[in-house]
Short mmCIF file of all heavy atoms in Angstrom, two decimals:
data_model
loop_
_atom_site.label_atom_id
_atom_site.label_comp_id
_atom_site.label_asym_id
_atom_site.label_seq_id
_atom_site.Cartn_x
_atom_site.Cartn_y
_atom_site.Cartn_z
N ASP A 99 17.19 30.90 -10.07
CA ASP A 99 17.87 31.83 -9.19
C ASP A 99 18.89 31.11 -8.32
O ASP A 99 20.02 31.56 -8.13
CB ASP A 99 16.84 32.56 -8.32
CG ASP A 99 17.44 33.65 -7.46
OD1 ASP A 99 18.41 34.30 -7.91
OD2 ASP A 99 16.96 33.85 -6.34
N PHE A 100 18.51 29.94 -7.81
CA PHE A 100 19.41 29.16 -6.97
C PHE A 100 20.61 28.68 -7.78
O PHE A 100 21.76 28.73 -7.31
CB PHE A 100 18.66 27.96 -6.38
CG PHE A 100 19.45 27.15 -5.40
CD1 PHE A 100 19.43 27.46 -4.05
CD2 PHE A 100 20.22 26.07 -5.82
CE1 PHE A 100 20.17 26.72 -3.13
CE2 PHE A 100 20.96 25.33 -4.91
CZ PHE A 100 20.93 25.64 -3.57
N ALA A 101 20.36 28.20 -9.00
CA ALA A 101 21.46 27.68 -9.83
C ALA A 101 22.45 28.77 -10.21
O ALA A 101 23.66 28.50 -10.30
CB ALA A 101 20.88 27.04 -11.08
N LEU A 102 21.97 29.98 -10.40
CA LEU A 102 22.87 31.08 -10.73
C LEU A 102 23.67 31.53 -9.51
O LEU A 102 24.83 31.95 -9.65
CB LEU A 102 22.07 32.26 -11.29
CG LEU A 102 21.53 32.08 -12.70
CD1 LEU A 102 20.51 33.16 -13.04
CD2 LEU A 102 22.66 32.07 -13.73
N ARG A 103 23.08 31.43 -8.34
CA ARG A 103 23.77 31.86 -7.12
C ARG A 103 24.68 30.76 -6.55
O ARG A 103 25.75 31.05 -6.03
CB ARG A 103 22.73 32.25 -6.07
CG ARG A 103 23.32 32.69 -4.73
CD ARG A 103 24.14 33.96 -4.87
NE ARG A 103 24.72 34.37 -3.58
CZ ARG A 103 25.85 33.90 -3.08
NH1 ARG A 103 26.54 32.98 -3.75
NH2 ARG A 103 26.29 34.32 -1.91
N TYR A 104 24.23 29.50 -6.66
CA TYR A 104 24.99 28.39 -6.09
C TYR A 104 25.21 27.30 -7.15
O TYR A 104 24.64 26.19 -7.04
CB TYR A 104 24.24 27.80 -4.88
CG TYR A 104 23.96 28.80 -3.79
CD1 TYR A 104 22.66 29.26 -3.56
CD2 TYR A 104 24.98 29.30 -3.00
CE1 TYR A 104 22.40 30.18 -2.56
CE2 TYR A 104 24.73 30.23 -2.00
CZ TYR A 104 23.43 30.67 -1.79
OH TYR A 104 23.18 31.58 -0.80
N PRO A 105 25.97 27.59 -8.17
CA PRO A 105 26.11 26.64 -9.29
C PRO A 105 26.68 25.29 -8.88
O PRO A 105 26.35 24.26 -9.51
CB PRO A 105 27.06 27.37 -10.25
CG PRO A 105 27.76 28.39 -9.41
CD PRO A 105 26.77 28.81 -8.37
N ASP A 106 27.51 25.24 -7.86
CA ASP A 106 28.10 23.97 -7.45
C ASP A 106 27.12 23.09 -6.69
O ASP A 106 27.44 21.92 -6.41
CB ASP A 106 29.34 24.23 -6.58
CG ASP A 106 30.46 24.90 -7.34
OD1 ASP A 106 30.50 24.75 -8.59
OD2 ASP A 106 31.29 25.58 -6.71
N ARG A 107 25.96 23.62 -6.36
CA ARG A 107 24.96 22.84 -5.61
C ARG A 107 23.93 22.18 -6.53
O ARG A 107 23.06 21.45 -6.06
CB ARG A 107 24.21 23.75 -4.62
CG ARG A 107 25.08 24.54 -3.65
CD ARG A 107 25.71 23.64 -2.61
NE ARG A 107 24.75 22.85 -1.85
CZ ARG A 107 24.11 23.29 -0.77
NH1 ARG A 107 24.33 24.51 -0.31
NH2 ARG A 107 23.30 22.50 -0.11
N VAL A 108 24.01 22.45 -7.85
CA VAL A 108 22.96 22.00 -8.77
C VAL A 108 23.54 21.05 -9.82
O VAL A 108 24.53 21.38 -10.49
CB VAL A 108 22.29 23.20 -9.47
CG1 VAL A 108 21.21 22.72 -10.44
CG2 VAL A 108 21.68 24.14 -8.43
N ASP A 109 22.90 19.90 -9.95
CA ASP A 109 23.33 18.91 -10.94
C ASP A 109 22.66 19.19 -12.29
O ASP A 109 23.32 19.43 -13.29
CB ASP A 109 22.97 17.50 -10.45
CG ASP A 109 23.52 16.42 -11.35
OD1 ASP A 109 24.36 16.72 -12.22
OD2 ASP A 109 23.12 15.25 -11.19
N ARG A 110 21.32 19.18 -12.31
CA ARG A 110 20.56 19.44 -13.53
C ARG A 110 19.34 20.30 -13.20
O ARG A 110 18.88 20.31 -12.06
CB ARG A 110 20.11 18.12 -14.18
CG ARG A 110 21.26 17.37 -14.82
CD ARG A 110 20.87 16.01 -15.37
NE ARG A 110 22.02 15.46 -16.08
CZ ARG A 110 22.21 15.55 -17.40
NH1 ARG A 110 21.28 16.13 -18.15
NH2 ARG A 110 23.29 15.07 -17.96
N LEU A 111 18.84 20.99 -14.22
CA LEU A 111 17.70 21.88 -14.08
C LEU A 111 16.56 21.45 -14.99
O LEU A 111 16.79 21.20 -16.19
CB LEU A 111 18.07 23.31 -14.43
CG LEU A 111 18.71 24.23 -13.39
CD1 LEU A 111 19.03 25.57 -14.04
CD2 LEU A 111 17.79 24.43 -12.20
N VAL A 112 15.36 21.39 -14.45
CA VAL A 112 14.15 21.22 -15.27
C VAL A 112 13.26 22.40 -15.00
O VAL A 112 12.77 22.58 -13.87
CB VAL A 112 13.42 19.90 -14.96
CG1 VAL A 112 12.16 19.79 -15.82
CG2 VAL A 112 14.33 18.69 -15.19
N LEU A 113 13.06 23.24 -16.00
CA LEU A 113 12.25 24.46 -15.87
C LEU A 113 10.94 24.22 -16.59
O LEU A 113 10.86 24.24 -17.81
CB LEU A 113 13.00 25.65 -16.46
CG LEU A 113 14.42 25.89 -15.92
CD1 LEU A 113 15.06 27.08 -16.63
CD2 LEU A 113 14.40 26.11 -14.42
N THR A 114 9.90 23.96 -15.82
CA THR A 114 8.57 23.67 -16.35
C THR A 114 7.72 24.95 -16.32
O THR A 114 7.71 25.65 -15.32
CB THR A 114 7.88 22.57 -15.51
OG1 THR A 114 8.76 21.44 -15.42
CG2 THR A 114 6.56 22.16 -16.12
N SER A 115 7.03 25.23 -17.42
CA SER A 115 6.20 26.44 -17.49
C SER A 115 6.99 27.62 -16.94
O SER A 115 6.56 28.29 -16.00
CB SER A 115 4.90 26.26 -16.71
OG SER A 115 4.25 25.06 -17.07
N PRO A 116 8.16 27.91 -17.51
CA PRO A 116 9.12 28.79 -16.83
C PRO A 116 8.64 30.21 -16.63
O PRO A 116 7.96 30.81 -17.47
CB PRO A 116 10.34 28.77 -17.77
CG PRO A 116 9.79 28.39 -19.11
CD PRO A 116 8.66 27.46 -18.82
#
Side-chain angles (χ1 to χ4, degrees):
D99 185 35
F100 185 90
L102 287 168
R103 179 64 180 85
Y104 303 108
D106 294 335
R107 305 289 304 274
V108 179
D109 187 13
R110 288 175 174 265
L111 275 177
V112 179
L113 307 178
T114 307
S115 310

